[in-house]
Amino acid sequence: MSQQEDAAANGAGADDEGVTILASHEAEGRGLDGDGAELSPQPADDAESADDAEADGAAAQPRLSVADLELEGEVAADYIEGLLDVADLDGDIDMDVEGDRAVVSVVGATLSELVGRRGEVLEALQELTRLAVHQQTGHRTRMMLDVGGYRQRRRAELAEAGQDAAEEVRRTGQAKKLWPMNPFERKIVHDAVAAAGLRSESEGEEPERRVVVLPVG
């Protein structure tokens, strides 16, 4: 197993069971069923845009105003604050607008429970929060939830993994399959491979869907 794969498999400790159960029960109770139909393997440009859409968790929609995005952030922050209270966890909540999405970040001393293995708890919490925003605002949201800077760290790790894979494929001329990733992670790798001048595609079904880096030609 590579260093990147090892890092991906150890996103947090084993003490996230309680929050995982909380998130799964919330999702079950609200009828949350994911972000749409499974996508089949496709060329790099299509795969990148598909994973981007999956990572965003929403279909294309008119650009929202800053005021609308700030409202999304406020609704999301209130929802996360309620979850923290239920789980008896401490954390400060920061809200911001980056580009065309609201970003809500939870910062604190002990937040590994909110991230989980490979960010699985964080992804579940983000989907629950997006659903809460949708129910209050009436439109799908691209709101991004981060906990303890996890997404920023993962972005750097995955970009490096994509660059390393592209260099290996260019050197060997052989396609390389990476480990299973969620849509957020796959989009970052697709971007890194494209920046290195190669193509990539996504194959498989969730939760085993992964990026395949393709040689030239």
Side-chain angles (χ1 to χ4, degrees):
M1 181 179 290
S2 68
Q3 291 181 341
Q4 289 88 355
E5 289 175 282
D6 187 55
N10 292 284
D15 56 352
D16 57 6
E17 182 179 357
V19 177
T20 303
I21 293 173
L22 171 65
S24 63
H25 283 185
E26 286 260 354
E28 185 176 327
R30 293 173 178 266
L32 189 65
D33 60 358
D35 283 329
E38 178 61 36
L39 299 169
S40 59
Q42 49 200 307
D45 291 345
D46 291 341
E48 180 176 324
S49 60
D51 281 331
D52 190 16
E54 285 185 273
D56 290 342
Q61 60 182 15
R63 184 179 294 273
L64 299 177
S65 68
V66 172
D68 288 333
L69 295 175
E70 289 176 343
L71 174 60
E72 286 189 358
E74 292 171 1
V75 173
D78 288 343
Y79 182 77
I80 291 297
E81 185 175 5
L83 286 182
L84 291 177
D85 289 342
V86 169
D88 195 24
L89 295 172
D90 293 326
D92 296 325
I93 300 176
D94 292 335
M95 295 174 290
D96 198 2
V97 172
E98 296 181 2
D100 56 355
R101 78 168 75 210
V103 177
V104 176
S105 301
V106 184
V107 295
T110 56
L111 293 173
S112 61
E113 302 96 329
L114 298 180
V115 176
R117 180 178 178 270
R118 293 180 56 210
E120 291 169 352
V121 176
L122 176 57
E123 291 300 321
L125 291 175
Q126 177 172 276
E127 291 310 307
L128 289 171
T129 307
R130 285 177 168 180
L131 182 59
V133 173
H134 180 203
Q135 290 178 330
Q136 184 153 335
T137 65
H139 59 75
R140 299 290 298 273
T141 175
R142 302 178 66 244
M143 184 277 308
M144 180 72 77
L145 175 65
D146 195 8
V147 172
Y150 172 81
R151 291 195 187 277
Q152 183 176 359
R153 295 192 301 274
R154 288 295 292 146
R155 192 183 300 274
E157 293 168 359
L158 291 163
E160 182 179 357
Q163 293 167 358
D164 290 346
E167 291 174 3
E168 179 180 334
V169 170
R170 183 178 288 110
R171 184 177 66 255
T172 65
Q174 300 294 318
K176 181 176 178 61
K177 291 184 179 182
L178 301 182
W179 61 92
M181 302 177 190
N182 62 42
F184 167 79
E185 294 172 330
R186 293 195 302 270
K187 175 61 170 61
I188 295 170
V189 175
H190 284 310
D191 287 346
V193 172
L198 294 183
R199 297 175 56 247
S200 59
E201 64 183 19
S202 294
E203 70 171 29
E205 298 183 358
E206 302 289 4
E208 297 301 312
R209 192 162 170 81
R210 65 190 66 211
V211 173
V212 181
V213 183
L214 305 172
V216 175

